[in-house]
Amino acid sequence: MGEPRRRQFFITALSLVLLAVFAGRLVMIQGVNAAELSTAALENRLSTTTSEPLRADIVDRNGVVLATSAERYHVFVNQQKLAEWQRIEDKQVVAEGALDAAAILAPILGVSESELAVDLVGDATFKYIAKYVTPETWSLIADEKIAGIDREKVTERLYPNGDIAGNIVGFVGGREDQQGNDWGLAGIEASFEDELLGTPGSLTYERGTDGTVIPTGVLEEEAAVPGSDVVLTLDRDIQYYTQQRLDEAVAQTGASSGIVTIQDVTTGEFLTLADSGTVDPNDPGATDASSRGSRAVEDVFEPGSTAKVITVAAALEEGIATPTTRYVAPYEYTTANNQTFKDSHDYGDQKLTLAGILAKSSNTGTVQVGEGLTEEQRYEYLEAFGLGSKTGVGMPSESAGILHHWKDWDGRTKWAVLYGQGVSVTALQNSQVFQTIANGGVRLQPTIVKGFQQADGTFVERETSEGVRVVSEETAAQVMLMLEDVTESGTGKLAKIDGYRVAGKTGTAQAPDETGKLTRIVASFVGIAPADDPRIVVSVILFDPKSSIWGGEVAAPVFSDVTSFALQALRVAPSGPAEEMYPTTWE
């Protein structure tokens, strides 16, 4: 290696080897791996951002907005940058640092200067100073051009009608398995999350090493697809009045809570689902967690005497009785298996027709009527009227109620179900029984959702199941006339409405307490108006009333007021002349 010629030869050979390696590598890059490397380089330069569409609205049947979303901003500060900020005018420093920034921003944000200054002073690089400010407010802040003050875009869910239908609309919030605070946690917000959310959009672009967009580079945009507005069957004005009247009734009677439902007879749609003490979705934390849902959908109770309608309808349908069939209803009645039942009051032996048993709400008479039905028939009619199954109304956490199979009934339950004990229902199911009778014997699927208004203006109706015939038109008509006599001469006189014929049934029963024991009292009235041309079914349920336990005394007056308002709001024509009632007694 010390000889010049040998050293020169070695250097030349090494150079040739290196050139060959580089050439081979170049061939690989430009020839064999060119496409792969080019793709990798492009992917390195691509950046993708997503855009979430605003959550769609929830509106009532007339388009009144019950829930909507709005663009908002969270304002934050980089305290280190703000400490170095200066505002110079005419070569003079007129404002600088956190304290001057606080003086400028406090009036815009509507907070005190001293409180804001506390958040602006420090060495944090990120700290929120205001949340959910409007675009107009942010525009005023941005105009001040204060270094270190910036924002992030968010959305805010707004409920402009406060607690009106809050139990139905629901509310949004954070979830452990998802980012953000705009997820449906209750009511329609939870049930129809997918329809409300829509589909996120995306923007993919090519950027340089400094992060700027390359004008001639890749630019792919997929627009966000807005969600669909959920159109409810509720009427905001009727819902408002009903909630007010219900809260008033709860206060007047000393009840612990109450429910009122209003259902359209011919469509199954609910115009009102009212709970006392309804949650305000704008501030759900102010309401106890146990009261943030809908009792009408979730809570169960024994229907009591309102279920006598099913027994009477079954007896008529099976041909074991007519409206004028005669019975003697004593204060106490003992069945063949030695089960003794009593009426609410001791009137001695009453000579009642089938119509009279319903009008006077006789337990002992109802048991005698039911003796003509087999246990299996009793069960089949309870099931056919919708007991023991969820209605599919469109709300989360709906209860199916409790209806044990007839083979599991004990010696007392097989009789008690005839007058609404030993079985539990929701307010929805209770209403459904009367809707079936008022609709000529056809049970319709109840619903709280009318359909979905898509972004392009297309309206898609919510699918519901076909109606089911439960009893004949003749049976339904006979029961309707008997129910009308309940308000004329029976236990529901306080439910009467001037100008309209009313059919209905009072009820007093029990509901489970926190331990599951039946210690709570349920006073109710379920009615139909107008009785001669049924339009709505109204159910009033009060839990643990103190002034009286009888539905005819505490629930019927609420029914009268709420139904009168609803009929006027719906512009329902007054009733025609009254029909001749069935005889209720005999000699």
Side-chain angles (χ1 to χ4, degrees):
M1 292 297 291
E3 296 180 9
R5 291 182 62 184
R6 184 174 292 181
R7 187 166 56 249
Q8 185 178 6
F9 174 78
F10 177 79
I11 293 172
T12 300
L14 183 60
S15 299
L16 290 172
V17 170
L18 290 173
L19 286 172
V21 170
F22 289 141
R25 183 61 179 160
L26 187 60
V27 169
M28 289 292 292
I29 293 174
Q30 294 189 338
V32 180
N33 295 335
E36 181 181 340
L37 293 171
S38 176
T39 300
L42 177 60
E43 289 179 353
N44 231 11
R45 297 193 301 273
L46 292 180
S47 180
T48 300
T49 60
T50 59
S51 58
E52 298 285 344
L54 283 177
R55 191 179 182 91
D57 293 348
I58 299 173
V59 302
D60 84 339
R61 66 187 302 112
N62 300 311
V64 177
V65 176
L66 302 175
T68 190
S69 291
E71 290 186 358
R72 294 290 185 263
Y73 295 97
H74 288 346
V75 182
F76 60 87
V77 61
N78 181 325
Q79 294 172 340
Q80 294 180 11
K81 286 187 178 180
L82 180 59
E84 300 173 357
W85 167 73
Q86 289 184 331
R87 173 175 291 173
I88 300 175
E89 296 178 1
D90 297 328
K91 299 181 181 181
Q92 297 290 324
V93 175
V94 295
E96 62 179 339
L99 297 181
D100 286 344
I104 296 169
L105 297 177
I108 299 175
L109 293 173
V111 297
S112 72
E113 186 177 328
S114 59
E115 289 177 351
L116 183 57
V118 172
D119 290 330
L120 297 180
V121 174
D123 58 4
T125 57
F126 184 93
K127 184 176 183 179
Y128 287 118
I129 60 172
K131 289 188 174 183
Y132 297 110
V133 304
T134 64
E136 294 77 14
T137 299
W138 168 250
S139 179
L140 294 174
I141 295 172
D143 288 345
E144 297 297 337
K145 295 182 174 61
I146 300 175
I149 302 296
D150 211 335
R151 89 292 189 196
E152 64 180 14
K153 189 176 180 180
V154 295
T155 61
E156 183 178 18
R157 196 64 166 164
L158 303 173
Y159 303 91
N161 287 282
D163 67 356
I164 300 177
N167 56 324
I168 303 304
V169 173
F171 49 87
V172 298
R175 281 170 38 182
E176 291 183 359
D177 61 335
Q178 298 286 353
Q179 292 184 337
N181 295 302
D182 204 23
W183 300 98
L185 299 182
I188 296 299
E189 294 278 32
S191 288
F192 296 93
E193 180 96 282
D194 293 341
E195 289 79 2
L196 290 164
L197 284 180
T199 305
S202 64
L203 176 65
T204 301
Y205 58 92
E206 196 172 348
R207 61 183 179 180
T209 55
D210 59 354
T212 57
V213 177
I214 300 175
T216 58
V218 173
L219 185 64
E220 297 176 353
E221 183 174 6
E222 186 174 341
V225 179
S228 298
D229 292 344
V230 179
V231 182
L232 303 184
T233 61
L234 293 181
D235 183 298
R236 191 272 309 270
D237 293 342
I238 300 177
Q239 177 81 22
Y240 170 76
Y241 176 82
T242 304
Q243 285 184 210
Q244 298 299 310
R245 182 64 181 88
L246 176 58
D247 285 339
E248 179 182 289
V250 167
Q252 289 175 343
T253 64
S256 60
S257 60
I259 300 168
V260 176
T261 69
I262 303 178
Q263 186 178 17
D264 189 299
V265 168
T266 59
T267 66
E269 296 176 351
F270 276 102
L271 305 177
T272 292
L273 282 181
D275 290 298
S276 60
T278 301
V279 64
D280 183 346
N282 292 298
D283 186 18
T287 302
D288 187 85
S290 62
S291 300
R292 294 175 194 165
S294 172
R295 298 185 190 92
V297 176
E298 300 170 3
D299 287 8
V300 298
F301 53 90
E302 288 187 337
S305 293
T306 56
K308 291 173 182 173
V309 171
I310 299 176
T311 300
V312 169
L316 292 170
E317 189 72 7
E318 295 298 323
I320 64 174
T322 69
T324 57
T325 298
R326 297 177 175 184
Y327 297 88
V328 175
Y331 172 59
E332 290 187 1
Y333 181 78
T334 302
T335 62
N337 66 335
N338 292 318
Q339 296 296 315
T340 299
F341 298 91
K342 298 180 181 180
D343 271 341
S344 60
H345 298 84
D346 188 355
Y347 296 114
D349 290 346
Q350 299 183 87
K351 295 180 178 180
L352 301 174
T353 63
L354 179 65
I357 287 173
L358 193 61
K360 302 301 182 183
S361 199
S362 171
N363 294 338
T364 61
T366 303
V367 170
Q368 292 181 68
V369 173
E371 286 178 327
L373 298 167
T374 67
E375 294 173 44
E376 186 173 4
Q377 284 177 320
R378 300 169 202 175
Y379 175 82
E380 287 175 347
Y381 275 96
L382 289 168
E383 188 178 45
F385 272 96
L387 276 63
S389 301
K390 295 181 179 181
T391 67
V393 72
M395 290 283 289
S397 306
E398 181 185 359
S399 172
I402 302 172
L403 175 61
H404 298 298
H405 195 273
W406 67 271
K407 292 182 179 180
D408 298 323
W409 290 344
D410 61 25
R412 188 168 186 81
T413 301
K414 67 181 182 180
W415 302 109
V417 296
L418 294 168
Y419 59 89
Q421 292 185 8
V423 58
S424 294
V425 300
T426 64
L428 304 180
Q429 294 168 329
N430 216 27
S431 176
Q432 190 172 231
V433 171
F434 287 76
Q435 176 276 318
T436 302
I437 295 297
N439 194 40
V442 177
R443 174 169 57 84
L444 301 177
Q445 180 188 335
T447 182
I448 196 67
V449 176
K450 202 170 188 68
F452 310 96
Q453 189 76 44
Q454 298 178 341
D456 62 2
T458 303
F459 181 77
V460 179
E461 288 190 8
R462 185 193 179 210
E463 292 184 5
T464 54
S465 59
E466 291 290 325
V468 177
R469 178 161 293 283
V470 179
V471 294
S472 67
E473 287 189 37
E474 181 183 5
T475 293
Q478 290 174 330
V479 175
M480 278 293 297
L481 193 56
M482 285 190 272
L483 288 174
E484 189 172 353
D485 204 19
V486 172
T487 64
E488 291 297 325
S489 63
T491 57
K493 297 186 185 71
L494 294 180
K496 295 174 69 173
I497 302 172
D498 290 341
Y500 293 94
R501 291 166 55 185
V502 174
K505 186 71 190 75
T506 57
T508 298
Q510 294 175 304
D513 57 21
E514 295 80 3
T515 66
K517 295 181 179 179
L518 294 173
T519 62
R520 303 180 66 197
I521 295 297
V522 182
S524 64
F525 184 88
V526 187
I528 302 159
D532 52 329
D533 186 14
R535 175 65 191 277
I536 55 176
V537 173
V538 179
S539 177
V540 179
I541 301 156
L542 295 175
F543 295 90
D544 300 314
K546 302 299 185 294
S547 58
S548 170
I549 66 170
W550 307 114
E553 296 179 6
V554 293
V558 182
F559 168 90
S560 179
D561 290 344
V562 168
T563 306
S564 178
F565 182 90
L567 291 173
Q568 292 178 46
L570 296 171
R571 299 181 180 179
V572 177
S575 292
E579 294 185 43
E580 182 179 352
M581 300 291 121
Y582 295 115
T584 58
T585 60
W586 58 276
E587 294 298 334

